[in-house]
Amino acid sequence: MTSLYVADDVVTLAKQILGSDTTGHDFYHVARVARNAVRLYREDFPLASPSTLQLIATMGYLHDVVDEKVTATPTTRWHQIMALPTVCRFTPEDQEILRTTITHMSYAANLEHHFELPVPGQYVQDADRLDALGAIGIARAFAYGGAHHHPIYDPTIPVVMSSNRETYRHHKETSINHFYEKLLHLEATMNTTAGKKLAHTRTAYMRAFLDEFMHEWNE
Ligand code: ADP
Ligand code: NI
C-alpha cells in the first residue's frame, strides 16, 4: 500500500499521529489518498517528474496530521512536518505548495471561501474527496458518525445544508443525513478530469446504497 514515492520519515510521522485513529482518518486513509493522488496525476501528466510525484505523495500522507479533528495541537504538528528531513530537502516553492495545500484543502476550510489550490494540491484534494465516496466512503461515514455518537438515521432529524463551518460541525445530525448534506455533492467539487470520472462512479454506488437503505427502512 505504501506509495513508491514517499520516504520513510514521512510514513513514520503519519503512522505515529494517525495510527490509532478510529474516526475514518486513520493511516490507511492517508496511504490511499497518497496512492490515488499520484495515480490521478500520472494519468493527466504521464511525464511527471519524480520530485513532483514525491511532493504529491508526501502531501497525501501528511494532509490529516494537522487536522482539527485529529489533533489538539496543530502548531506542534506543523513544526514536526517542517522538521522532517524529506520536507527540509524540498525546494522553497514545494514547501509553500505543501503548506498552502494542507492548510486549505479540507471541505470545512472551503465552505465560506473557495481556495484555488496549486495543481499538485488539486490532485491530493480530489483523492481525499474520493476516499469519502463509494464503499470506503460509506464505511468511513458510519465510522465517523459512531465515533461522534450520531445515530445511523432518524427521520425526525432534518437534513441541514450548511454554508458555514460552525453549523457544519455542530448541527444535530445523523450519518445518513451526511450523505445528503455533503457526500452526494462532492462529485461537483472535483478539480480534475480523472477525479470527476471516478467520483461519478462512486457517487452512483452510494445512491444505490441509499435507495436500498430507505427501501429496507420502509419495508
Ligand atoms: P475532509 O476530508 O475535507 O477533511 P471531513 O474531515 O469532514 O472532510 O470528512 C472526512 C471523513 O469523515 C469523510 O469520509 C466524511 O464522510 C466523514 N464525515 C465528516 N463529517 C461527518 C458526519 N457529520 N457524519 C458522517 N461522516 C462524516
Ligand atoms: Ni483526509
Side-chain angles (χ1 to χ4, degrees):
M1 165 74 79
T2 311
S3 166
L4 268 183
Y5 296 97
V6 76
D8 286 350
D9 57 340
V10 173
V11 174
T12 303
L13 180 65
K15 257 193 193 140
Q16 183 197 325
I17 308 299
L18 308 168
S20 58
D21 178 274
T22 52
T23 68
H25 298 82
D26 56 90
F27 175 74
Y28 290 107
H29 160 64
V30 296
R32 284 190 301 270
V33 169
R35 196 187 48 167
N36 284 327
V38 166
R39 187 159 63 95
L40 295 179
Y41 192 85
R42 292 183 82 181
E43 265 181 45
D44 285 349
F45 303 98
L47 302 178
S49 70
S51 66
T52 304
L53 298 177
Q54 187 188 30
L55 171 64
I56 291 173
T58 303
M59 293 194 294
Y61 274 93
L62 299 177
H63 80 275
D64 274 337
V65 164
V66 294
D67 194 291
E68 58 181 19
K69 296 181 293 310
V70 172
T71 180
T73 52
T75 312
T76 312
R77 300 289 175 237
W78 267 118
H79 287 308
Q80 285 176 291
I81 289 180
M82 299 318 284
L84 288 170
T86 296
V87 175
C88 290
R89 282 194 295 270
F90 283 171
T91 62
E93 292 75 25
D94 283 357
Q95 288 177 349
E96 193 45 42
I97 291 177
L98 179 138
R99 221 182 239 292
T100 315
T101 299
I102 295 183
T103 306
H104 297 302
M105 66 178 268
S106 81
Y107 181 78
N110 285 276
L111 275 172
E112 288 157 53
H113 174 84
H114 172 74
F115 289 95
E116 182 80 17
L117 294 179
V119 173
Q122 294 183 11
Y123 284 80
V124 181
Q125 186 180 53
D126 275 11
D128 190 32
R129 293 186 170 170
L130 281 169
D131 213 54
L133 303 180
I136 289 179
I138 294 171
R140 291 181 73 218
F142 291 103
Y144 183 103
H148 290 82
H149 310 291
H150 299 161
I152 293 174
Y153 179 52
D154 180 341
T156 66
I157 301 178
V159 168
V160 176
M161 301 308 290
S162 315
S163 55
N164 68 66
R165 219 175 162 121
E166 269 315 289
T167 340
Y168 173 64
R169 286 276 173 242
H170 297 118
H171 68 285
K172 203 171 173 198
E173 67 174 322
T174 75
S175 298
I176 288 287
N177 284 7
H178 187 64
F179 288 78
Y180 297 98
E181 291 167 358
K182 170 179 168 187
L183 302 178
L184 295 177
H185 310 290
L186 284 181
E187 181 186 347
T189 70
M190 303 300 280
N191 303 295
T192 71
T193 315
K196 273 195 178 85
K197 214 172 126 206
L198 259 179
H200 187 70
T201 314
R202 293 188 184 191
T203 303
Y205 183 82
M206 287 196 316
R207 283 191 199 281
F209 163 79
L210 290 168
D211 285 349
E212 175 63 16
F213 185 97
M214 290 307 168
H215 172 75
E216 290 177 16
W217 190 277
N218 294 313
E219 214 163 33

